[in-house]
Amino acid sequence: MPRLEWPLHVVRRVALAVAAAITLVAALWLGVGWLQERQARCADGVVERGPDDECVGVSDGSYAFAPHLDAVSAKIEEENRRVLANADKEPYVSVAYFTSFTTTAEDSNSAEGVRHELQGAYLAQYRHNQGDLAATPKIRLLIANPGSRSTQWKHTVDDLIARKDSPDRLVAVAGLGPSTDENLAAIKRFSEHGIAMVGATLTASNIQGINGFVRIAPTNEDEAYAGAGYLKRRGVTTGVVIQDVAEGDLYASTLGTAFTKAFQDGAHKLVAERMTYDSSVSSAWQNELRYMPGQLCQQRPQLVYFAGRGLHLTRFLDALANRSCTDQRFTVFTGDDTSNLSPEQLARAAETGIEMLYTGLAHPDMYRAAPQAVSAPSAKNFQPGGLLDEWFPHDPREDGGALMGHDAVLAAAHGIQMAARWQGQVAGDAVARMFHQMDGTQQVAGASGFISFQNNGNPRNKAVPILRLTAKGQVEFVEVSAAEGKPPQEQ
């Protein structure tokens, strides 16, 4: 059979055509990948992730994770640019503020709350860099978003870990969100990589003893003793605990146990077994709460202690307002998560006509009621006419978030300053060691109270405000208590 031979010019044309086709396919493949990458990228250091395509990651303020954060993000970006512009004259390090900035209805922390935390964090940065507490090294403040419910925590945590080296020089992380399994996992990973941490609003009593971690918030045990002490002074002798048993909610699980221990003694008792609901079962928890008032009408306790999140509390109060025993008056007491309710939710809760009290983390009126318990220079920034009022007017701060965000970054800044002065180096592990030297004259002069840390990372006898929800849905300051359950003047 004769062999088929192609002319040389035909072979060349075929080869060129094949090469061009391969090049085109490769270009198309790379182009699609490049387009997908551009679509997934929200800004430098910020990418879309998760089923809802949330923008998560780390920003220097040039990108705001939500429109309501525009004003404070712009302030942070401006200060960060100033720090970099002067870097040849004044050294700097970075501190990240880590919490869920893209909140949804499923988050326990509210959009208002995280905005206020970031405002307070910026105030602390400003005071340390160029205000009344000016010191070196200066601080760049990074905004770190792990997404709603911190579901993308690992991506954001690993991004921050990579920023330990130049040019970011990250040494500490503040904030760290509410007490959940996801945020605890983030804390443990930061610890493994030698990054100092200051929790702002974490209160779960079982988050402690982690290397490099301290918190400025009173623990749930502290809140329970403060609340029990106040209630006993009021003459309350009988109570019932309602407990959320959802797996992974460390706040709720430790709060009910702590109050049970703090309240009961010879003269004060719980008149029934703990009543439970499971907020993780979306189809059932509202019904569980709805049927509880019938049992309460039979038990007739003076007090109902609600060990659950604020967003569940509103449903319980609705059910209790429709109770059959209308002649029975109830006082409902709960923990600091009530601070995360929106103004609309607070107003709705107030309409139930039930006395509603709770332990907060901080309140601007603490300064006027107990000036010995807080730092006057710090607290004045949160009063009418103070710096926050000047920068972010018409933004109420009764939820205490701004004070807690401020004090968390202020503690990190204090540790950075001490490490630079005493050890000559500012690395995460050096800053973490300084946290346990913050006693006596080295206490953190916080707006939420003077702060020093125990060996397990918990604050030492931190001031705790007792708050009341008024009939108009406003938050009313009652008194300052403390971790031992006594007002500061009685310590």
Side-chain angles (χ1 to χ4, degrees):
M1 182 175 179
R3 185 174 61 179
L4 181 65
E5 294 185 358
W6 293 84
L8 182 60
H9 69 281
V10 173
V11 172
R12 286 176 176 172
R13 287 177 182 174
V14 170
L16 288 172
V18 169
I22 293 172
T23 301
L24 179 60
V25 169
L28 287 172
W29 176 262
L30 291 173
V32 169
W34 175 82
L35 181 60
Q36 288 176 337
E37 183 179 353
R38 279 189 61 85
Q39 289 173 337
R41 181 176 174 274
C42 305
D44 288 342
V46 183
V47 297
E48 290 182 358
R49 287 182 68 90
D52 297 323
D53 293 331
E54 287 182 273
C55 289
V56 300
V58 182
S59 168
D60 63 355
S62 56
Y63 176 82
F65 287 100
H68 69 98
L69 299 174
D70 284 348
V72 63
S73 295
K75 287 281 190 184
I76 291 170
E77 180 189 15
E78 180 183 6
E79 179 60 18
N80 285 342
R81 289 185 182 278
R82 194 190 68 81
V83 168
L84 288 178
N86 294 324
D88 57 335
K89 302 174 185 176
E90 296 179 308
Y92 72 87
V93 294
S94 292
V95 174
Y97 202 88
F98 176 100
T99 194
S100 299
F101 288 107
T102 47
T103 57
T104 68
E106 297 182 4
D107 286 272
S108 63
N109 47 347
S110 66
E112 292 84 359
V114 297
R115 180 176 70 249
H116 296 158
E117 285 184 51
L118 195 58
Q119 290 172 353
Y122 166 68
L123 172 62
Q125 179 197 25
Y126 177 87
R127 292 182 71 198
H128 174 84
N129 284 355
Q130 55 175 318
D132 60 317
L133 297 176
T136 54
K138 303 304 180 184
I139 289 176
R140 288 178 70 234
L141 185 61
L142 303 178
I143 308 169
N145 180 33
S148 173
R149 295 173 290 121
S150 294
T151 53
Q152 303 301 319
W153 68 268
K154 192 175 185 302
H155 169 83
T156 303
V157 167
D158 286 350
D159 187 337
L160 289 172
I161 290 169
R163 294 171 185 259
K164 288 175 58 178
D165 300 322
S166 297
D168 291 301
R169 307 170 196 170
L170 180 82
V171 298
V173 175
L176 299 166
S179 304
T180 64
D181 278 350
E182 291 79 7
N183 289 327
L184 176 56
I187 289 169
K188 289 179 177 179
R189 189 161 179 83
F190 283 133
S191 177
E192 292 168 359
H193 289 269
I195 295 175
M197 295 165 283
V198 188
T201 63
L202 290 130
T203 61
S205 303
N206 57 356
I207 302 179
Q208 60 181 9
I210 301 172
N211 190 42
F213 170 76
V214 297
R215 58 169 149 206
I216 61 165
T219 66
N220 280 348
E221 188 168 328
D222 294 339
E223 289 192 45
Y225 273 93
Y230 167 76
L231 291 165
K232 290 176 182 180
R233 291 192 296 276
R234 272 189 52 171
V236 174
T237 59
T238 61
V240 168
V241 172
I242 293 177
Q243 170 78 59
D244 184 0
V245 294
E247 185 177 356
D249 192 332
L250 307 179
Y251 165 84
S253 63
T254 58
L255 188 61
T257 300
F259 183 80
T260 298
K261 177 183 175 183
F263 183 74
Q264 291 193 110
D265 56 32
H268 307 87
K269 62 180 181 178
L270 300 177
V271 296
E273 291 185 0
R274 192 175 301 186
M275 301 165 64
T276 63
Y277 71 99
D278 189 343
S279 64
S280 66
V281 183
S282 58
S283 60
W285 69 265
Q286 295 188 47
N287 286 336
E288 291 176 322
L289 291 176
R290 190 172 68 185
Y291 291 117
M292 289 180 182
Q295 298 170 264
L296 294 171
C297 283
Q298 291 179 332
Q299 296 151 353
R300 304 181 79 84
Q302 294 171 284
L303 166 76
V304 179
Y305 193 85
F306 190 84
R309 294 286 180 179
L311 56 89
H312 310 134
L313 173 67
T314 57
R315 297 293 186 182
F316 170 71
L317 291 177
D318 285 342
L320 191 58
N322 289 289
R323 65 191 181 278
S324 59
C325 54
T326 55
D327 62 317
Q328 173 71 18
R329 294 184 60 83
F330 289 102
T331 293
V332 176
F333 203 106
T334 189
D336 67 274
D337 197 72
T338 305
S339 300
N340 289 313
L341 293 179
S342 67
E344 294 76 18
Q345 290 171 317
L346 287 174
R348 174 181 165 184
E351 290 174 357
T352 62
I354 297 160
E355 184 181 29
M356 180 67 237
L357 296 157
Y358 61 100
T359 42
L361 299 180
H363 191 279
D365 287 346
M366 291 171 66
Y367 166 63
R368 289 192 288 270
Q372 77 282 6
V374 300
S375 164
S378 290
K380 287 179 180 177
N381 291 295
F382 299 86
Q383 303 302 307
L387 282 177
L388 282 188
D389 205 23
E390 176 185 332
W391 293 333
F392 312 109
H394 314 299
D395 197 350
R397 282 172 278 276
E398 284 78 8
D399 59 14
L403 289 90
M404 302 305 285
H406 168 271
D407 286 3
V409 173
L410 195 68
H414 197 43
I416 289 166
Q417 182 185 357
M418 291 171 67
R421 182 191 304 168
W422 294 351
Q423 298 194 359
Q425 60 173 338
V426 183
D429 54 354
V431 174
R433 286 195 296 273
M434 292 300 99
F435 291 149
H436 300 289
Q437 307 300 321
M438 295 178 184
D439 203 355
T441 59
Q442 293 298 331
Q443 287 186 101
V444 180
S448 68
F450 288 100
I451 304 162
S452 61
F453 302 106
Q454 303 175 54
N455 289 337
N456 61 8
N458 293 334
R460 185 176 285 107
N461 202 35
K462 182 74 184 302
V464 181
I466 308 295
L467 306 173
R468 176 185 289 112
L469 183 60
T470 72
K472 295 182 179 180
Q474 297 173 331
V475 177
E476 177 182 86
F477 175 82
V478 178
E479 71 170 37
V480 174
S481 188
E484 296 177 3
K486 301 176 182 179
Q489 61 267 25
E490 296 183 13
Q491 296 293 324

